[in-house]
Every structure is written in structure tokens, then in C-alpha cells.
Amino acid sequence: MSSRTEPEPGLAPVPDLPEGEYRQLINVAYRLLGSLAEAEDAVQEGFARWYAMSPRQQEAIEAPGAWLTTVVGRICLDVLGSARARRERYVGEWVPEPLPDTTEWMNGRPGDSGTDPADRIALDESVDMAFLVVLESMTPAERVAFILHDVFRYPFTELAAIVGRTPAACRQLASSARRRVRAARPPETPTGLQARVIRDFKQAWEAQDIAALVGLLNPDATVVVDGGGLVGAALRPITGAGEIARYIVAIGDMAPGMKLLVRSVNGRAGLVAQRAGTTVTVAAFGLEGDRITHIWAVRNPEKLQPWTTT
């Protein structure tokens, strides 16, 4: 995966487009697609279309940043439209690509962290893994309208040009998406409580204490593991506190020497599993109160490149 979000070397920058707007484009595309690699591809494609125009065409565009946002939004809409077919070919379960808090990895990550697209993502509630999973249930048009309006405050008149609908239709799309989010999201768990529960879960996992694990899990908890067909992973969700606890203990038995770290995953406390300094699993958690309701574990190595520490 490329780590570049600036224009190709040797090309003049887009006029009147400050650094913050590069960051904005990556932020928009990641929330729309749930994939850092696809988000960067969408932004690069947007710039490629800009540089494919003649100087006269470029000069006719009064607001290059707004033009690029429209183009990247349309590219993301096309990608979302083809996502269902791609997911049908995906091996096992699909989980959005997890994001690190790069300040936690500064001493161990290679290269200049300032060039990594992960550094450009603002870690707020709109990248919470539970939130991204809800977005996956939306139609492409709902997702684009909701993210651009409710998260980034784009007016419906501008959304209409991206989605290809009237402003009134975009308003309805965002409203429908908003209802989905309200229906699916539990009350927010305080940050401190979530961190404590995840630390307790880590300790119980390391101790292979099934009873303690069960006590931290909601009876109807669910684990979804994304291996992408590239590494071993459960191909279907695992449900029930007892089943999950036994599964987790079995993983520990099969992976001696695995090191668990409590780290920020998409802006929330999560777990990172490493072997020989290489990140092999990143787990995000959904909680209701002090009980874990969901675990989204990403093992697909293609989705773990921002987590490389060697």
C-alpha cells in the first residue's frame, strides 16, 4: 500500500489546497469505505483526474478543494456500489480496516510517520469500529449522504452533486441512515470504564481464566474474525460467552509466545496481539456498560500494515 497522499513528485500542488484539505479527503474516504488502502486509492484517483485536465480546465475551477471532494465522493460511491459483489467473493467475515493511534507506535514504526495516511485520520466517534459496522448496513447513497452531512457538515445542495439526487432526496437518505445508527448503537460506555474492561479481559486471556472471561462478556456476545482467507480465522461469527471464552483460550494454546498489548483501536481501547514483534491480530470491542457485547478481530495481514512495528 502506498503511503502517499500528496501529488506525484514533480507536479505542482493543487492551487489553494492547504495541507488540511489533503487530510480532510483521506478522512472522508476512510469513513465512506472502511478501508485505509481503498481510501488512499480514492484520493489518489481524484488527484489523477485533476492532473489529467488541461491548465485551462483547471483554471476554470474556482474551488479545487470542493471539486476534489466531489470527485472523491463519487469515486467512493462507485466503490461502495461494487462492494457487495466483492464481499461475496471475500473468504470468511469482512471487518473494516482497524486504525492505530500512531502516537502509540512512534518509537517502533518505520519511516516518517507524517507521510502515513493513518496519521491523517482524526480518531473520533465516527471511526469507532461499532459505528463503521453500522455504516456497512446502509446503502451506498445513505452512507455517503450521512457521512458527508452529519459528520462533515456538507450542505445537501453540495451532496446532491455527489450522490446524483435532489437535495430533498439527500436529506431523506441522511435521515434514514441516522435512524439506523440510533437503533443499532448502545449507550456510550465511558472511556475509562472501557479501558478497564479491556485490561481485565487481557489479564483473563493471559491467565487462560475461562470463568473470568465469561464474567466480562455479555451472555449473547459475538466475535467476528477477519482473516481474508490469508490466515487462519473463524469463517462464521462465534456467539455466546462460554463459546467465546473457550475459543480465546484455545487461541492462546495454539499461539505460544503471543504478546498482548492494550492499544487504541479506532479511537477506543482495544487489543493488539504480536508474535516476534509482528502484529498478527487487532481486536476492537463493543461494550454495553461493563460487559463486552462484540469483538471484531482483524487478522488479514493486508489490513494490518499500519500496525507494523518491525
Side-chain angles (χ1 to χ4, degrees):
M1 179 183 70
S2 168
S3 62
R4 201 172 24 80
T5 58
E6 287 77 9
E8 294 283 354
L11 292 175
V14 180
D16 302 321
L17 189 65
E19 168 64 20
E21 292 202 42
Y22 288 102
R23 183 183 298 272
Q24 176 87 338
L25 290 169
I26 290 290
N27 271 273
V28 167
Y30 173 75
R31 287 162 175 79
L32 290 178
L33 300 176
S35 165
L36 189 60
E38 289 183 350
E40 193 184 12
D41 287 344
V43 172
Q44 291 299 326
E45 175 61 23
F47 281 112
R49 294 185 187 184
W50 169 269
Y51 289 114
M53 294 191 298
S54 68
R56 178 173 296 180
Q57 290 173 316
Q58 293 175 353
E59 290 171 2
I61 296 173
E62 295 182 0
W67 183 90
L68 280 165
T69 299
T70 298
V71 170
V72 170
R74 288 173 177 166
I75 292 169
C76 290
L77 189 61
D78 289 342
V79 173
L80 288 170
S82 64
R84 180 168 297 179
R86 288 184 289 112
R87 302 281 165 77
E88 288 176 355
R89 298 191 297 270
Y90 197 82
V91 178
E93 298 293 318
W94 188 93
V95 174
E97 184 177 335
L99 283 177
D101 180 346
T102 54
T103 60
E104 295 180 337
W105 301 87
M106 295 294 273
N107 294 329
R109 300 183 67 208
D112 175 10
S113 64
T115 66
D116 194 298
D119 294 331
R120 302 178 182 273
I121 305 295
L123 297 176
D124 58 28
E125 65 276 3
S126 67
V127 295
D128 174 36
M129 187 63 75
F131 182 82
L132 293 178
V133 170
V134 174
L135 294 180
E136 289 297 312
S137 68
M138 299 178 184
T139 67
E142 281 179 332
R143 185 166 182 167
V144 171
F146 175 71
I147 289 295
L148 288 179
H149 180 266
D150 283 43
V151 177
F152 291 99
R153 303 303 178 188
Y154 282 82
F156 289 117
T157 52
E158 292 184 18
L159 288 182
I162 297 174
V163 181
R165 314 262 183 114
T166 65
C170 290
R171 186 184 301 275
Q172 289 297 318
L173 288 168
S175 177
S176 173
R178 206 174 296 124
R179 288 194 296 271
R180 289 177 186 258
V181 171
R182 284 198 296 263
R185 298 194 77 185
E188 186 74 17
T189 298
T191 301
L193 176 58
Q194 170 142 348
R196 178 179 64 78
V197 171
I198 302 310
R199 286 195 299 269
D200 291 347
F201 188 85
K202 169 183 176 289
Q203 292 172 0
W205 188 346
E206 290 172 332
Q208 297 189 304
D209 188 335
I210 289 180
L213 289 168
V214 169
L216 292 165
L217 292 160
N218 185 288
D220 299 320
T222 302
V223 170
V224 177
V225 185
D226 179 342
L230 301 177
V231 295
L235 297 179
R236 296 289 182 270
I238 302 165
T239 58
E243 287 295 320
I244 293 171
R246 287 187 287 273
Y247 172 77
I248 287 171
V249 168
I251 291 174
D253 288 338
M254 292 186 294
M258 184 173 64
K259 181 180 180 181
L260 294 175
L261 304 170
V262 177
R263 290 289 185 268
S264 173
V265 180
N266 287 63
R268 300 286 187 271
L271 286 179
V272 173
Q274 294 183 337
R275 296 191 70 183
T278 299
T279 296
V280 294
T281 304
V282 173
F285 295 78
L287 277 72
E288 288 187 16
D290 61 354
R291 292 292 181 270
I292 296 168
T293 58
H294 293 85
I295 303 174
W296 297 280
V298 176
R299 303 201 67 240
N300 182 342
E302 293 181 349
K303 294 184 177 183
L304 298 179
Q305 293 185 42
W307 301 82
T308 300
T309 61
T310 59

